[in-house]
Amino acid sequence: MRLEILYYMSKRTKIKALLESEQTHIEVTVKGWIRTFRNNQFIALNDGSTNNNIQIVVDFENTDPTLLKRLTTGAAISVVGELVASLGKGQKVEVKASQIEILGDSDPEKYPLQPKKHSLEFLREIAHLRFRTNTFGAIFRVRNTLSYAIHTFFQDRGFVYLHTPIITASDAEGAGETFHVTNFDLVNPPKTETGEIDFKQDFFGRATNLTVSGQLEGELGAMALSDIYTFGPTFRAENSNTTRHLAEFWMIEPEMAFYDLVDNMDLAEALLKFVIKEALAKNADDLEFLSQRLAEEEKQKPQNERSDLSLIDKLQFCLDNDFQRLTYTEAIEILKESTPNKKKKFQYPIEGWGTDLQSEHERYLVEKHFKKPVILTDYPKQIKAFYMRQNDDEQTVRAMDILFPGIGEIVGGSQREERLEKLEQRMDEMGIPKEELWWYLDTRRFGACPHAGFGLGFERLVLFVTGMGNIRDVIPFPRFPKNAEF
RNA sequence: UCCUGAGUAGCUCAGCCGGUUAGAGCAUCUGACUGUUAAUCAGAGGGUCGCUGGUUCGAGCCCAGCCUCAGGAGCCA
């Protein structure tokens, strides 16, 4: 990157470019927010372009004292000065300021972010300012890389990015509680003669809600475009209070015609590896910082709970190893024979075939037994959704869940049931109203073909790559029960 | 929603068996120092002890209800 060009285009040079500059003794303009002002002489300035700060050297003896007093943590400033090799240790280059302008003051008595350690809980309460910390700066730059990498991955493979609706009328997908969308006066909504709320008079002429999944619409697209993916917000009104659930989250849902379950797994594994690789390549500084942050945090934990791999090693390990693939039935066998099960260490002992695995079981498989990402397939049909393709054993369906260490389920997908009779039979059994999904069933009536897809929880991916522990810290403004501030 | 724990200065926390004027570190302010890396040294200011009610001569501490937060579970991505 040539600094002159950047300077011309934006009237300032971003700190990332300055720190990478091979040239010195050039005049530069740099703008950003003060992190600390040390020794009445050294400003650590950050503009979010990188995790690293640039050091601004102030000639305090020849600077107006009232200006010096306004160089406080959090203030926005513009600096003109010479980029020089640093005289001190700790940085290669620094800017010898010739002109400093305060763009925005920051009252140090009131500004909540002071140069000290703050807890993640506190920062969550000031989510509007937490971008200005090293940790959150790194997280959101990594999030950006992952987001872009997902598009790159699919675009390179000829997938069509399809915008499925945010507002939907079907409440039939069984993916969880929905948020209602209405124009009614909630105090006095129109009623029918029988006293029920009359949705015929509502904006859409029927009851509507925010989407819980774009999959069904995604399948419609795939039945003509071959390969599509969605990447958009998803809403679940579950009263979930955990480190892995949000009421508003982003999900990637590819849907591929002529794919079977193995193709589906191959694609999901390739996608995860690609985006992790991109993050390692493009956010080395950020991940190094997050890796150290995690190491510090792990020091607080008892020895046996600590991870033996650093964050970066963990990500690299993911790239270097194939995910372990096995069926639900095989997993049950392993769990049955496992030490914690025999020693009755599981809160929910493995009793037999047919029930869903508990978190502790998934963790055992991923973190203790295989020690790598695991793909479980062919679950019992009674614990999975109606649209999954039924196996010949009449007991299981072509489902696959990808389980990651520390996160649990990061991907859930399946080969879809393309046979009309089988699908209708399953919908009847599960009480899914066929009339409402007439358009979905039409794809099985006209040119049905084998196809498959999955849903990847974007925040869970960001959680894994950044090594953070709470999903509320990897989305800018988390929505969860009792919280929609900002 | 359930289980467990927590809520005391701007932040992180201590506060004994219920007893006089509620403490520390960091941050902030003032002064000193001036090539510092979360600078350092000295000093100062800063409190509705989550809210409501109760027990008691007396409550930060005990009891009840509520609110909020964290961790775990369920629901799932």
Side-chain angles (χ1 to χ4, degrees), chain A residues 94-222:
Chain A
E94 60 193 17
V95 175
K96 262 179 82 173
S98 53
Q99 241 184 75
I100 297 178
E101 186 191 347
I102 310 274
L103 300 174
D105 285 289
S106 175
D107 183 348
E109 300 266 19
K110 293 181 184 145
Y111 187 59
L113 281 177
Q114 294 302 337
K116 71 182 287 286
K117 272 218 166 90
H118 291 293
S119 66
L120 294 171
E121 291 81 8
F122 172 67
L123 294 172
R124 219 169 280 152
E125 289 170 16
I126 51 164
H128 59 308
L129 298 174
R130 66 178 177 173
F131 297 107
R132 303 182 183 199
T133 63
N134 288 329
T135 301
F136 285 91
I139 290 167
F140 292 115
R141 278 186 298 271
V142 171
R143 184 181 166 112
N144 170 64
T145 297
L146 290 170
S147 179
Y148 191 77
I150 281 162
H151 285 294
T152 306
F153 177 86
F154 286 121
Q155 292 297 324
D156 286 354
R157 284 164 180 74
F159 280 62
V160 173
Y161 178 31
L162 193 71
H163 294 115
T164 52
I166 305 293
I167 299 172
T168 68
S170 66
D171 189 14
E173 297 157 34
E177 291 293 312
T178 59
F179 287 104
H180 302 298
V181 175
T182 180
N183 250 8
F184 281 159
D185 170 9
L186 293 182
V187 179
N188 194 17
K191 301 267 176 70
T192 61
E193 285 170 7
T194 52
E196 318 242 289
I197 294 175
D198 186 9
F199 286 105
K200 285 205 175 76
Q201 295 186 49
D202 203 349
F203 188 91
F204 294 107
R206 60 192 300 175
T208 49
N209 53 270
L210 294 179
T211 183
V212 292
S213 162
Q215 180 200 317
L216 300 192
E217 288 90 348
E219 285 188 46
L220 312 183

Side-chain angles (χ1 to χ4, degrees), chain A residues 28 31 121 138 172 232 367 383:
Chain A
V28 296
K31 302 184 184 190
E121 291 81 8
E367 292 162 26
I383 57 172

Side-chain angles (χ1 to χ4, degrees), chain A residues 143-348:
Chain A
R143 184 181 166 112
N144 170 64
T145 297
L146 290 170
S147 179
Y148 191 77
I150 281 162
H151 285 294
T152 306
F153 177 86
F154 286 121
Q155 292 297 324
D156 286 354
R157 284 164 180 74
F159 280 62
V160 173
Y161 178 31
L162 193 71
H163 294 115
T164 52
I166 305 293
I167 299 172
T168 68
S170 66
D171 189 14
E173 297 157 34
E177 291 293 312
T178 59
F179 287 104
H180 302 298
V181 175
T182 180
N183 250 8
F184 281 159
D185 170 9
L186 293 182
V187 179
N188 194 17
K191 301 267 176 70
T192 61
E193 285 170 7
T194 52
E196 318 242 289
I197 294 175
D198 186 9
F199 286 105
K200 285 205 175 76
Q201 295 186 49
D202 203 349
F203 188 91
F204 294 107
R206 60 192 300 175
T208 49
N209 53 270
L210 294 179
T211 183
V212 292
S213 162
Q215 180 200 317
L216 300 192
E217 288 90 348
E219 285 188 46
L220 312 183
M223 290 302 96
L225 300 164
S226 281
D227 301 323
I228 67 96
Y229 69 105
T230 74
F231 187 176
T234 308
F235 308 88
R236 308 256 167 107
E238 305 286 346
N239 191 8
S240 296
N241 290 287
T242 78
T243 54
R244 347 176 263 294
H245 290 87
L246 290 166
E248 177 184 281
F249 64 99
W250 289 68
M251 188 155 64
I252 296 103
E253 293 180 289
E255 202 65 41
M256 296 74 65
F258 317 116
Y259 267 49
D260 65 14
L261 191 72
V262 174
D263 300 327
N264 201 25
M265 288 190 281
D266 289 346
L267 185 80
E269 185 169 341
L271 169 66
L272 288 166
K273 286 181 169 171
F274 176 79
V275 299
I276 290 169
K277 203 174 100 199
E278 285 288 289
L280 282 169
K282 291 184 176 167
N283 294 77
D285 285 351
D286 291 321
L287 288 172
E288 184 54 46
F289 177 84
L290 290 167
S291 196
Q292 280 170 23
R293 193 205 70 84
L294 186 62
E296 284 293 316
E297 196 181 85
E298 295 229 319
K299 278 187 196 165
Q300 313 291 320
K301 290 184 183 169
Q303 197 98 45
N304 60 344
E305 285 175 32
R306 288 183 208 167
S307 163
D308 40 352
L309 291 179
S310 75
L311 174 61
I312 288 176
D313 292 342
K314 216 160 67 185
L315 297 176
Q316 193 58 49
F317 181 84
C318 235
L319 301 184
D320 297 341
N321 291 279
D322 289 339
F323 296 0
Q324 184 69 42
R325 300 181 186 190
L326 71 160
T327 66
Y328 165 91
T329 305
E330 289 163 343
I332 288 288
E333 285 310 311
I334 289 169
L335 286 164
K336 248 190 212 164
E337 298 302 316
S338 71
T339 321
N341 195 50
K342 284 182 171 170
K343 288 192 174 172
K344 305 207 190 302
K345 286 278 170 67
F346 283 142
Q347 199 186 335
Y348 299 89

Side-chain angles (χ1 to χ4, degrees), chain A residues 22 57 122 270 285 326 477 479:
Chain A
E22 298 296 325
V57 184
F122 172 67
D285 285 351
L326 71 160
F477 302 106
R479 270 79 178 98

